[in-house]
Amino acid sequence: MASPSFLFLFLFLIASSFSCGVYAFAGIAENDIPQAALQLKNRRLMNEHKREEWIRRSLQYYSKVTREERRRSIGQLSNNVIDSEEYIALANKHYFALYKIKQGNRKHAECIYRRIIEDLMEENEEDDCDHAKLAVTTLLLALLLQQKNDHKGARKVFLNFFRMLFLTGLGEETECACSAKVLQAYALFEMKQGNSKKSRQLAERAVKLDPSLAPVLKWKQFRDVVSNKGMGRNLK
């Protein structure tokens, strides 16, 4: 009968052979393990850097489209909102949509915008929706549809936002810089479609939401609407 020490030595040799076989099979020598671990660590650090850079650019882009500086100056934005996980998630989604547009995949970007709007509208059913969040995505989607020459679709997007904002009474007395930008874009859209009177009315509502947009009413297109209206009264 084999002694215990012999069995221990036998099992040790088997285990050592199996271990060496694994390293040989993987093509990695034992003395290369620290180097492989270092390479893995470097890849992780590189991926983490890319992720942080993506988030930084996402927040920078979203800050621009949400008119963050303007809203903060008039007390419509707090730092608590900017630091929230929801804000960062929305920034990432919008920046990804921009990335898809730059890749030429407008259809994917459109799907992203529409899904964000659907989620925000569901949120609105549960509680008061943040007009700024909905306004930003609405504006980007409407502009994208115009680029695709889908004027009917763009008008529908604008109308849905307009009805939510005013027909429900949510935007009558509250200033909102982002919502004002949507109405301004809606006004310019209708002007291009030849609906000058409707365009002027939308521009006036935009100015009520953000008085800093008042110079828009001095644009020639809108001045001509007022002049033609005055001429009509004189002819009567």
Side-chain angles (χ1 to χ4, degrees), residues 79-97:
N79 290 330
N80 292 335
V81 173
I82 298 173
D83 296 334
S84 68
E85 292 184 3
E86 182 185 14
Y87 184 91
I88 296 174
L90 282 172
N92 282 326
K93 291 176 183 178
H94 284 84
Y95 191 64
F96 185 59

Side-chain angles (χ1 to χ4, degrees), residues 2 5 9 24 37 39 58 69-70 82 94 96 113 120 161 174 191 193 212-213 223 231:
S5 59
L9 178 61
Q39 291 176 353
S58 298
E69 185 176 346
R70 166 63 181 162
I82 298 173
H94 284 84
F96 185 59
Y113 290 145
L120 291 175
F161 181 78
T174 305
M191 181 65 72
Q193 302 305 309
S212 71
L213 297 179
R223 292 202 315 270
M231 290 177 62

Side-chain angles (χ1 to χ4, degrees), residues 4-130:
S5 59
F6 176 78
L7 289 175
F8 176 79
L9 178 61
F10 178 71
L11 292 173
F12 175 77
L13 290 174
I14 291 177
S16 299
S17 300
F18 177 76
S19 176
C20 292
V22 171
Y23 288 125
F25 179 77
I28 303 176
E30 286 190 68
N31 58 0
D32 289 336
I33 294 177
Q35 182 65 26
L38 180 61
Q39 291 176 353
L40 179 60
K41 181 180 179 181
N42 288 337
R43 282 198 296 270
R44 287 176 176 172
L45 289 174
M46 186 176 297
N47 290 336
E48 180 65 20
H49 175 73
K50 289 181 179 179
R51 189 183 75 86
E52 291 177 355
E53 180 64 15
W54 174 275
I55 293 176
R56 186 189 68 80
R57 293 186 179 185
S58 298
L59 292 172
Q60 187 178 47
Y61 170 71
Y62 197 57
S63 171
K64 181 179 179 181
V65 296
T66 57
R67 305 185 71 194
E68 182 180 305
E69 185 176 346
R70 166 63 181 162
R71 292 169 61 209
R72 186 185 284 110
S73 68
I74 57 179
Q76 294 180 7
L77 185 66
S78 67
N79 290 330
N80 292 335
V81 173
I82 298 173
D83 296 334
S84 68
E85 292 184 3
E86 182 185 14
Y87 184 91
I88 296 174
L90 282 172
N92 282 326
K93 291 176 183 178
H94 284 84
Y95 191 64
F96 185 59
L98 176 65
Y99 173 75
K100 285 298 179 180
I101 292 173
K102 289 182 176 180
Q103 281 190 322
N105 195 343
R106 294 180 177 178
K107 184 63 179 177
H108 193 171
E110 180 183 342
C111 291
I112 294 172
Y113 290 145
R114 290 191 183 280
R115 182 54 189 268
I116 294 173
I117 290 175
E118 288 178 5
D119 291 343
L120 291 175
M121 291 305 294
E122 289 179 4
E123 177 184 319
N124 185 38
E125 292 178 359
E126 298 174 2
D127 197 0
D128 288 342
C129 175
D130 182 349

Side-chain angles (χ1 to χ4, degrees), residues 142-191:
L143 293 176
L144 177 61
L145 293 175
Q146 289 180 68
Q147 291 173 4
K148 295 171 63 177
N149 292 319
D150 184 2
H151 302 304
K152 183 177 180 181
R155 177 178 280 115
K156 184 177 180 180
V157 170
F158 278 130
L159 277 173
N160 287 340
F161 181 78
F162 182 82
R163 287 168 181 157
M164 185 282 299
L165 191 64
F166 288 102
L167 299 188
T168 58
L170 293 176
E172 292 295 337
E173 299 178 355
T174 305
E175 290 187 8
C176 180
C178 286
S179 298
K181 268 296 183 181
V182 176
L183 294 189
Q184 181 189 33
Y186 189 11
L188 294 175
F189 170 79
E190 291 297 351
M191 181 65 72

